[in-house]
Amino acid sequence: MKVSPDARPERWLASLALIIIAVISLGNVVTRYITGGSLAFTEEFSVFLLVVVTFAGASVALRRNGHIRIGLLERALPNGPRKALIVLQWLCGVTVLGLVTWFGAKLTWEEYQWQSLSPGIGLPQWWYIIWLPLLSAAMLIRQTQQTWDRLTGRLADEP
């Protein structure tokens, strides 16, 4: 029996972030309608939460084998070379995600050391940036899980 892979923590995080965006945006609209002024934090939080939704959603798509990929060459190759191509794809993905995780963590640490504040409401900038290395590391894990499932035959590339 083939089980549909899941990325539950990322799904919950993306859902929560989307709900928070909806609530603060609605609150901002109501506040603007009643008072004529706007809540200062809504744009800054919304942009930050959209980044969280994007990275968490990308992690879910990786786990579910939902990213776009041209599979013409994979389908044309015999099993051995096809598996080598899957490993090559994994190496490329892990390299990119590893670099994003590394440099994101480095940037987060630097922002923490410099005590940089966000331009809108003055919160520590690293509170926003730390999600970049965390979620790219989650994507790295999901990439590895997906590759393993593809290599072992537990995840079919074509439905």
Side-chain angles (χ1 to χ4, degrees):
M1 179 174 105
K2 292 191 179 191
V3 180
S4 177
D6 197 10
R8 189 166 292 157
E10 293 95 322
R11 281 191 314 131
W12 278 98
L13 181 62
S15 298
L16 180 63
L18 206 52
I19 289 168
I20 293 170
I21 290 170
V23 168
I24 65 175
S25 296
L26 176 64
N28 193 31
V29 168
V30 170
T31 301
R32 198 175 326 140
Y33 179 74
I34 294 172
T35 66
S38 183
L39 298 172
F41 70 93
T42 57
E43 183 180 355
E44 189 171 302
F45 277 8
S46 294
V47 169
F48 149 66
L49 290 170
L50 278 173
V51 172
V52 170
V53 168
T54 301
F55 273 82
S59 183
V60 172
L62 266 172
R63 185 63 184 124
R64 292 182 175 180
N65 201 23
H67 280 283
I68 295 172
R69 177 177 60 245
I70 299 172
L72 179 67
L73 184 58
E74 283 181 31
R75 288 190 296 273
L77 290 174
N79 196 33
R82 185 180 69 78
K83 286 187 176 187
L85 180 60
I86 290 171
V87 170
L88 177 65
Q89 292 168 350
W90 174 79
L91 284 171
C92 292
V94 165
T95 300
V96 170
L97 290 170
L99 288 170
V100 171
T101 303
W102 172 258
F103 286 110
K106 187 176 175 183
L107 177 62
T108 302
W109 179 248
E110 289 172 354
E111 291 290 333
Y112 175 76
Q113 287 180 319
W114 296 334
Q115 299 177 353
S116 300
L117 300 178
S118 65
I121 56 177
L123 290 175
Q125 192 71 19
W126 70 269
W127 287 5
Y128 300 126
I129 297 174
I130 196 167
W131 292 96
L132 174 69
L134 290 176
L135 290 173
S136 61
M139 289 174 66
L140 203 145
I141 292 167
R142 299 304 183 190
Q143 173 80 41
T144 301
Q145 288 175 327
Q146 177 215 54
T147 301
W148 180 256
D149 286 349
R150 289 176 68 207
L151 288 172
T152 58
R154 291 180 23 202
L155 183 62
D157 288 329
E158 295 295 322

